[in-house]
Amino acid sequence: MQRAAIILAGGRGSRLGGVDKASVRLGGERLIDRVLAAEVAALERIVVGEVTEVPTARVIAESPRFGGPALAVAAGLGALGTDAELVDVLSCDFVHPELVVAALDNAGTDFNGDGLVLVAEGRMQWLASRIRVAPLRAALAEVQPGDSLRQVFAALRLQEVSVPAEVTADFDTLADIEAAGAQLPAPHREGMNRDA
């Protein structure tokens, strides 16, 4: 089946002191570019957020701004211009996005229900999922600002795929960024140097 990808790259970055996660660099590459590279097989890629210089994807903004991940997914779905039957819903801040996509690929497309969601250490990773477009559209039909993905996805029949925690590891805190040897975007690096 053909698939598209929606990558969420918005939010205030409050747990990171306002850092733009998508522009954090790991191994010299921005996190957003690493996710897009992992989704090279996607027929269409939509980035929802205020990211610049992304030639390999269409970038849109959710409305209202900072309306939450469910609203961002709805905006991404509304922007799809292909007839893809499946869509990957991913966060931009995975440490190993290639492992996330590989885990979804390994689960196959002949699944029961509406889609797949990765589960690490018993926790549903909503932003590591592959879902049939039609039921996802139906679930998001009346989404409101502030609605959680858990609320929206509760209406879907998702097959759980258990993976090791490292597969869905992400950057939640500045300590995570430092531990991984990643680099903050330039304005934040300069600010931290002045505070030091």
Side-chain angles (χ1 to χ4, degrees), residues 6 8 10 16-17 20 38 52 65 67 69 72 75 87 92 105 110 129 131 133 148 157 163 173 183-184 189 195:
I6 295 171
L8 302 197
L16 290 172
D20 170 22
T52 58
R65 191 179 180 206
V87 62
C92 73
D105 286 344
D110 187 25
S129 58
I131 305 174
V133 170
S148 70
R157 295 171 300 132
V163 296
T173 66
Q183 289 186 311
L184 296 172
R189 288 201 307 271
D195 293 342

Side-chain angles (χ1 to χ4, degrees), residues 112-136:
N112 295 320
D114 299 322
L116 308 168
V117 59
L118 300 189
V119 180
E121 296 184 330
R123 294 182 57 198
M124 306 284 268
Q125 305 294 315
W126 305 117
L127 292 177
S129 58
R130 177 169 292 168
I131 305 174
R132 299 186 197 280
V133 170
L136 183 57

Side-chain angles (χ1 to χ4, degrees), residues 149-169:
L149 282 179
R150 180 181 300 182
Q151 288 173 279
V152 171
F153 286 6
L156 299 168
R157 295 171 300 132
L158 299 179
Q159 178 179 316
E160 299 178 15
V161 179
S162 294
V163 296
E166 70 169 11
V167 171
T168 58

